[in-house]
């Protein structure tokens, strides 16, 4: 099987052009806040030019069918080329003059991670800040397509699992599938973003801050326009609005679609959703008790702070209203463990994801039953259906590779000389696409102190985590490049 | 299927009597060092009495065949009853008057962990110290039987994997198997213990210190008779002798048997052994360079210290000649990661073990090949033979449960109020049966500062880790207790 490089390049060129077009969306803010429009205009021009030239050179006699093997390359190179072109506004405006830093910030955006190297976010021009938030929102759109339409076909990490529930999807060709499903879920994504913007404005945010936070909430990204993140706002209303929308962004979008259609029975029947809800509520209550009993403010504030931080970490968003590493070591350890949770499959959240944990837990119990009856076939059941052994195996392999990547990551990051908790936190938060970590990269700090080598390692981990590991790792596998 | 409780109790009573008999072995040292023989004599008497009475009450009409399902109970209760009776010398002599502490120290012995709650080891009577070392050596004997003869039959965590290579074992009944294999490997175990005693004496140790260190080296236990552990001895010869014997104790005993018979080709063909050797050498060299370049003494001393600590942690022994947490954060992280390595299967070492890591790594690579060819059957190959999907699956499940237990463990331990690195280190070192951890339970510290609740949790983790997880967890599974 040969690769269809010309088709791949052609597709990438379209992505780069779209990227350029999105940059133009930032111009109104530049104009309104009386900033120079030059950097963003040039960036958009360069992006569109690169895209257009590549498109022109690759346009002839295209085979329209994308083969499975090409999928891995398109996805990984897609995110990479977006992240490369996405650095232009930072570099040309001089707001982030260093290429490593600019790339780190951009890939942290497109992977919806939210880790930042900026020490003074509020000093940036509004147009650039909007671009920064937009990278996350675009990344979120990409993730929806990826999770719903592409990964299940590539057969990655048990992503077939939840697709069976997506309405109206037949396991046919790639293209019609992307169009149908993506359109429906994108409308929900867009609608929720607009709704949140309105609610945040109702809570007292300016339109600019409201739309930026809405973009990065729905992407479970976590970039804020304020140095203090959401802690800047003292309004319980704003906090609760963001909590609810983070939770929605971390929910399987198909489940939200069911809910919007009034099919609540189907929502409640979904095991992943139930566990996601239970985990969030129970852990928040436990932490609330600790935060409350160690004094700090009243119970409502303790509960709100706990809930906000828990939802922020579970959904891999990464906003902050309180420093979870400043409570007690026990609470810090809980947040460290939550970094390995991840939101729901089919949402914009990153990480291992609740459905995989659910499957793992059930399988572990059954593994003991299997030892007692070695000849019996005992499948795991999810949402009342038996999960095939192949998928269970695939999920186990996914989690193992995730944790191995984590081990290798902390090895490489501690090589740069940071403390152990910094390394443990930085790798967990980047691989899980969360944002804040522990120690020197904790909630009230940023990634500016990490060495360039460390930043490249973390950038790679963000990409790998975001693309469900296999998509990226496949390209390093010799079998992939063999011709058959 | 019903449990054969009377047979189980009868077997346990024999173990308890043997335990009592071993206590008598400590008396010569009590006499030689002119200590009171009363505590050990009473302990031995009580142990033998308990065992004899139980044996007498359960002796009639015994079915001699042990069923598979009984195996889990015998093994877990066996280790537990040894550990309970093993506390007698500490309690009766008043050297460890508190029951929680005495139990922690004893189970740390029988599980060959080596974590201690003693703050002044050298203050203990020699007879009691010898008992302390002996618990590890007895534990090591038990582990050999367990690994070679029992676990493969129970089908736990892929332990079937290396048995195929054990000479002269047929997958028949339990009893003849235990006798044959155990006898052969016990002779090697005993022989190496004696040889090490002689070599350590040649290096200048007293007979008492030499035999104690030999007992706890071969068990990969790590209890020392000195407060400073092996760092007490300033002799490179002693250090190298202990390094070599730790390495041998962490080697599959069947491989050692082959080596002794001159079948070096078979030794070299064993993938686990090769990886075990490479890992040890490469990691030691890397750390040497860091230790050497950060100054401290010359290269030989840097290399020796690095090698000693690396072998000590990989083989899960836990002796110390230098504080690995005092070097650099990078080196600390390497040691933290090494705590998840474990020695070879079929040795006295604990932890995940090299063979499982090898299988996991190979399987991860193949998992990508499988995604490209979903319909092809692509088995992992180990030692040139295809490993069945069932076993691979079982190994993956084992590692996942190990890491889940680790996560739950740090959750519970940090609840006791220790710092995060202490929790991370304590759980890793107890679950992996190593000994020293990080932070407040680092190489130059001990477990006396952990709360009683924390000690019970860690004791449970030691037992679970030592018995390859499933043996213990099975007893908490509802399917196990069901009648069929």
């Amino acid at each position: 099987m040969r690769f269809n490089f010309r088709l791949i390049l052609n597709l990438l060129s379209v992505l780069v052009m779209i990227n350029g077009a999105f940059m133009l969306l930032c111009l109104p803010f530049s104009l309104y806040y009386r900033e120079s429009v030059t950097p963003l205009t040039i960036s958009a021009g360069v992006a569109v030019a690169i895209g257009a030239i590549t498109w022109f050179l690759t346009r002839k006699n295209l085979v329209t069918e994308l083969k499975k093997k090409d999928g891995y390359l398109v996805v990984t190179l897609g995110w990479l080329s977006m992240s490369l072109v996405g650095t232009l506004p930072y570099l040309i405006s001089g707001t982030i003059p260093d290429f490593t830093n600019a790339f780190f910030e951009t890939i942290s955006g497109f992977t919806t991670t939210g880790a930042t190297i900026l020490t003074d976010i509020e000093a940036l021009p509004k147009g650039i800040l909007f671009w920064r938030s937009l990278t996350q929102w675009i990344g979120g759109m990409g993730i929806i397509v990826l999770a719903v339409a592409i990964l299940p076909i590539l057969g990655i990490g048990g992503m077939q699992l939840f697709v069976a529930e997506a309405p109206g999807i037949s396991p046919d060709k790639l293209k019609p599938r992307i169009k149908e499903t993506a359109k429906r879920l994108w409308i929900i994504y867009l609608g929720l973003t607009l709704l949140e913007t309105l609610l945040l404005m109702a809570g007292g945010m300016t339109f600019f801050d409201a739309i930026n936070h809405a973009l990065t909430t729905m992407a479970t990204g976590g970039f804020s326009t304020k140095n203090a993140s959401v802690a800047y706002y003292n309004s319980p209303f704003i906090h609760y609005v963001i909590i609810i929308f983070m939770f929605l962004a971390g929910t399987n979008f198909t489940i939200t679609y069911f809910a919007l259609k009034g099919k609540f029975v189907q929502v409640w029947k979904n095991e992943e959703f139930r566990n996601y809800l239970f985990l969030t509520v129970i852990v928040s209550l436990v932490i609330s008790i600790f935060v409350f009993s160690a004094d700090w403010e009243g119970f409502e504030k303790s509960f709100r702070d706990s809930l906000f931080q828990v939802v922020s970490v579970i959904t891999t968003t990464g906003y902050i209203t309180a420093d979870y590493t400043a409570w007690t070591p026990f609470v810090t350890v809980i947040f460290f463990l939550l970094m390995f949770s991840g939101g729901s499959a089919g949402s914009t959240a990153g990480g291992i994801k609740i459905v995989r944990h659910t499957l793992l837990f059930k399988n572990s119990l059954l593994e003991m039953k299997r030892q007692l009856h070695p000849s019996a076939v005992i499948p795991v059941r999810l949402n009342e259906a038996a999960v095939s052994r192949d998928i269970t195996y695939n999920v186990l392999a996914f989690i193992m590779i995730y944790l191995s990547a984590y081990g290798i990551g902390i090895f490489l990051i501690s090589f740069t000389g940071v403390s152990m908790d910094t390394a443990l936190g930085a790798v967990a938060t980047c691989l899980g696409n969360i944002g804040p970590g522990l120690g020197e990269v904790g909630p009230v700090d940023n990634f500016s102190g990490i060495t360039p080598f460390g930043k490249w390692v973390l950038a790679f981990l963000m990409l790998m985590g975001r693309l469900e590991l296999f998509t990226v790792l496949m390209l390093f596998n010799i079998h992939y490049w063999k011709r058959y």
Side-chain angles (χ1 to χ4, degrees), chain A:
Chain A
M1 201 169 105
R2 293 190 193 178
F3 292 101
N4 200 338
F5 286 119
R6 209 145 48 81
L7 176 60
I8 293 172
L9 271 177
N10 191 265
L11 285 171
L12 294 180
S13 71
V14 176
L15 285 179
V16 169
M17 281 191 277
I18 293 173
N19 215 6
F22 267 114
M23 288 176 195
L24 297 176
L25 284 182
C26 309
L27 291 179
F29 293 100
S30 299
L31 289 170
Y32 180 81
Y33 288 102
R34 299 176 189 283
E35 300 160 356
S36 162
V37 293
T38 327
L40 280 160
T41 315
I42 296 177
S43 305
V46 172
V48 173
I50 294 174
I53 292 168
T54 316
W55 183 84
F56 189 80
L57 293 173
T58 54
R59 80 188 183 290
K60 273 190 185 157
N61 302 325
L62 277 180
V63 190
T64 48
E65 202 197 346
L66 197 62
K67 281 178 188 151
K68 184 179 162 180
K69 212 172 174 180
D70 299 322
Y72 301 94
L73 261 185
V74 171
V75 173
T76 306
L77 291 182
W79 249 268
L80 264 183
S81 54
M82 296 285 272
S83 301
L84 282 172
V85 173
T87 58
L88 289 173
Y90 300 125
L91 292 173
I92 292 175
S93 68
T95 44
I96 309 180
D98 175 63
F99 178 67
T100 298
N101 282 340
F103 184 77
F104 184 92
E105 196 77 9
T106 316
I107 202 162
S108 171
F110 281 114
T111 57
T112 80
T113 305
T116 182
I117 51 84
L118 292 171
T119 47
D120 186 3
I121 296 164
E122 291 161 35
L124 260 64
K126 304 289 184 191
I128 300 292
L129 271 187
F130 188 73
W131 171 245
R132 186 166 166 268
S133 306
L134 209 51
T135 54
Q136 296 205 319
W137 198 74
I138 301 168
M141 286 183 80
I143 286 308
I144 293 173
V145 182
L146 192 72
V148 178
I150 303 177
L151 292 179
I153 289 177
L154 298 181
I156 283 176
M159 293 299 272
Q160 307 94 316
L161 266 183
F162 76 97
V163 171
E165 307 174 329
I169 294 176
S170 60
D172 239 66
K173 288 274 156 60
L174 200 62
K175 265 195 170 173
R177 219 174 172 178
I178 292 184
K179 278 188 186 156
E180 247 181 72
T181 320
K183 207 165 62 182
R184 188 180 296 124
L185 300 190
W186 279 357
I187 290 171
I188 297 175
Y189 186 61
L190 182 66
L192 289 175
T193 308
L194 294 177
L195 183 62
E196 190 187 347
T197 308
L198 294 176
L199 286 170
L200 290 179
M201 286 173 74
M205 275 197 190
T206 64
F207 171 67
F208 179 75
D209 286 341
I211 194 162
N212 275 282
H213 282 93
L215 290 174
T216 58
T217 307
M218 285 314 298
T220 65
F223 273 158
S224 172
T225 48
K226 301 297 177 188
N227 289 332
S229 186
V230 181
Y232 176 90
Y233 300 97
N234 238 324
S235 144
F237 178 79
I238 287 181
H239 291 181
Y240 283 114
V241 166
I242 293 181
I243 287 170
I244 291 166
F245 281 85
M246 286 196 290
F247 188 82
L248 285 172
T251 305
N252 187 337
F253 276 65
T254 315
I255 294 291
T256 310
Y257 175 77
F258 283 144
L260 290 172
K261 289 195 100 182
K263 296 180 182 172
F264 296 109
V265 178
Q266 261 174 292
V267 172
W268 191 247
K269 265 188 178 170
N270 187 280
E271 270 188 71
E272 181 181 34
F273 180 73
R274 285 206 309 266
N275 290 344
Y276 170 48
L277 188 63
F278 288 149
L279 181 72
T280 306
V281 172
I282 289 166
V283 175
S284 301
L285 284 177
V286 169
I287 293 177
S288 306
I289 292 164
F290 272 82
V291 174
F292 179 64
S293 64
D295 128 89
W296 296 297
E297 346 233 350
F299 189 78
E300 188 280 328
K301 178 86 166 75
S302 303
F303 174 71
R304 176 160 37 101
D305 279 352
S306 305
L307 183 65
F308 190 99
Q309 265 53 241
V310 167
V311 172
S312 177
V313 172
I314 289 184
T315 62
T316 75
T317 307
Y319 286 142
I320 290 302
T321 59
D323 181 357
Y324 55 73
T325 59
W327 286 332
T328 74
F330 176 58
V331 171
T332 309
V333 166
I334 296 183
F335 278 102
F336 173 63
L337 292 172
L338 283 182
M339 287 182 187
F340 293 90
S341 156
S344 311
S347 74
T348 58
I352 293 177
K353 305 204 174 67
I354 310 279
V355 69
R356 292 203 183 96
H357 286 293
T358 304
L359 201 73
L360 167 70
F361 180 74
K362 289 181 143 191
N363 186 62
S364 298
L365 290 183
L366 291 177
E367 194 56 31
M368 289 185 244
K369 197 172 173 181
R370 289 190 196 112
Q371 273 178 20
L372 292 174
H373 313 283
S375 50
V377 176
I378 307 169
V380 187
R381 298 194 149 265
L382 195 75
N383 300 326
E384 294 173 7
V387 176
S388 84
R389 185 109 187 224
D390 277 343
I391 291 186
T392 311
Y393 197 83
N394 200 242
V395 169
L396 284 182
F398 178 91
I399 301 179
M400 284 313 316
I401 292 174
Y402 192 94
L403 295 174
S404 307
Y406 180 70
I408 295 167
I410 57 176
F411 175 82
L412 291 173
I413 293 301
S414 34
F415 184 73
T416 69
V418 297
S419 68
M420 180 159 156
D421 56 338
T422 305
L424 290 172
V427 177
T429 204
C430 287
L431 190 60
N433 302 123
I434 303 164
L438 305 170
E440 297 151 40
V441 295
V444 293
D445 296 283
N446 59 66
F447 286 73
S448 60
I450 303 289
T451 64
F453 169 75
K455 282 175 188 153
W456 284 102
V457 170
L458 293 175
F460 181 78
L461 291 172
M462 288 186 224
L463 188 70
M464 201 167 92
R466 182 71 278 184
L467 304 182
E468 308 283 331
L469 313 181
F470 289 109
T471 324
V472 176
L473 289 179
M474 186 65 87
L475 310 185
F476 294 88
N477 193 311
I478 193 154
H479 302 301
Y480 180 71
W481 300 101
K482 274 187 189 155
R483 281 189 186 178
Y484 294 97

